[in-house]
Amino acid sequence: MRDNHLHTYFSYDSDQDFEAYLEAYPGEVVTTEHFDLSNPYTKQDDIPDYQAYSQKIAELNSRYGNRIKRGIEIGYYAPREADILSYLSDKSYDLKLLSVHHNGVNDYLDEEVAERDKDLVIQEYLDLLEAAIGRVEADVLAHFDYGFRLFDVTVAELQVYEAQLRRIFQKMIAHDLAFELNSKSMYLYHHEALYLYALDLVLDLGGRRFSLGSDGHQLNHFRLQFERLADILDSRHISEEQLLH
């Protein structure tokens, strides 16, 4: 089971090198570097250096037997859609994640967000997520809970938004995106119950494509709790063939 959500020093918020992942795991590795325009956290456009990234991967593949793939995490922000599409238009990736990280004022992990009304934040984020699907070509809908990671949310509280979640996941399925089980959200932000609830909604809607991702920015988070994720897949009768790899 490949870790489909991983960062290196080509992302603005990581300093991890590729070699550590390749030495720690004998299988295929794909990194999904951050691409976030108008990033309110850094106050700039965070754009991975595609040429340097591609050159590094080519060099690593010559040393590690072609075990590393090229990926990107597209942080969708509607006011910059034209710029996002322009950047992506002439570049090739093996894996594209679709994310919503910010609202133009705050990244959803900024401390200021935790001081806002929880229900208003959840509604705002789900609206942005729903609007983002289908606007750019991608393979995976990443961390559906990113906008409310900072909050303790019960399944009962999330069920208030079930009608919209069903619309989001139906749209995800229609655009052939895989649903991501994000182990950072599940086990570092303690949202496993929310993911199990969401996973059951996806399955009920006929979803058949799934992706596992640690959202790792450092080696000790690589393949985080993948044994537990394997148990969850087994419990839902999700086969290896249904995983994106």
Side-chain angles (χ1 to χ4, degrees), residues 94-109:
D94 299 295
L95 184 67
K96 297 178 182 178
L97 310 185
L98 174 63
S99 299
V100 173
H101 289 131
H102 69 82
N103 60 7
V105 178
N106 291 110
D107 184 285
Y108 283 101
L109 293 185

Side-chain angles (χ1 to χ4, degrees), residues 30-47:
V30 59
T31 75
T32 50
E33 310 298 351
H34 279 302
F35 172 42
D36 285 278
L37 300 185
S38 301
N39 188 344
Y41 181 77
T42 60
K43 315 299 184 189
Q44 64 182 19
D45 289 341
D46 288 299
I47 304 172

Side-chain angles (χ1 to χ4, degrees), residues 89-154:
S89 64
D90 62 348
K91 297 173 180 66
S92 176
Y93 295 96
D94 299 295
L95 184 67
K96 297 178 182 178
L97 310 185
L98 174 63
S99 299
V100 173
H101 289 131
H102 69 82
N103 60 7
V105 178
N106 291 110
D107 184 285
Y108 283 101
L109 293 185
D110 287 350
E111 292 180 2
E112 293 90 340
V113 173
E115 298 170 0
R116 294 178 57 196
D117 179 87
K118 176 168 62 177
D119 293 326
L120 292 179
V121 171
I122 294 174
Q123 186 63 73
E124 173 188 284
Y125 173 75
L126 292 180
D127 288 345
L128 293 175
L129 191 64
E130 184 173 3
I133 297 171
R135 302 304 303 176
V136 299
E137 183 181 330
D139 304 297
V140 178
L141 182 64
H143 43 44
F144 88 97
D145 67 320
Y146 186 88
F148 45 96
R149 265 184 175 175
L150 293 183
F151 296 99
D152 292 326
V153 181
T154 67

Side-chain angles (χ1 to χ4, degrees), residues 8-10 16-23 29-31 33 52-70:
T8 72
Y9 59 84
F10 278 96
Q16 184 64 65
D17 59 38
F18 294 83
E19 288 86 346
Y21 298 133
L22 289 161
E23 295 289 346
V29 171
V30 59
T31 75
E33 310 298 351
Y53 178 64
S54 297
Q55 289 174 345
K56 180 64 176 178
I57 287 178
E59 183 265 323
L60 288 168
N61 275 332
S62 70
R63 291 166 48 202
Y64 288 92
N66 294 316
R67 287 200 293 120
I68 189 159
K69 301 295 185 182
R70 187 165 46 202

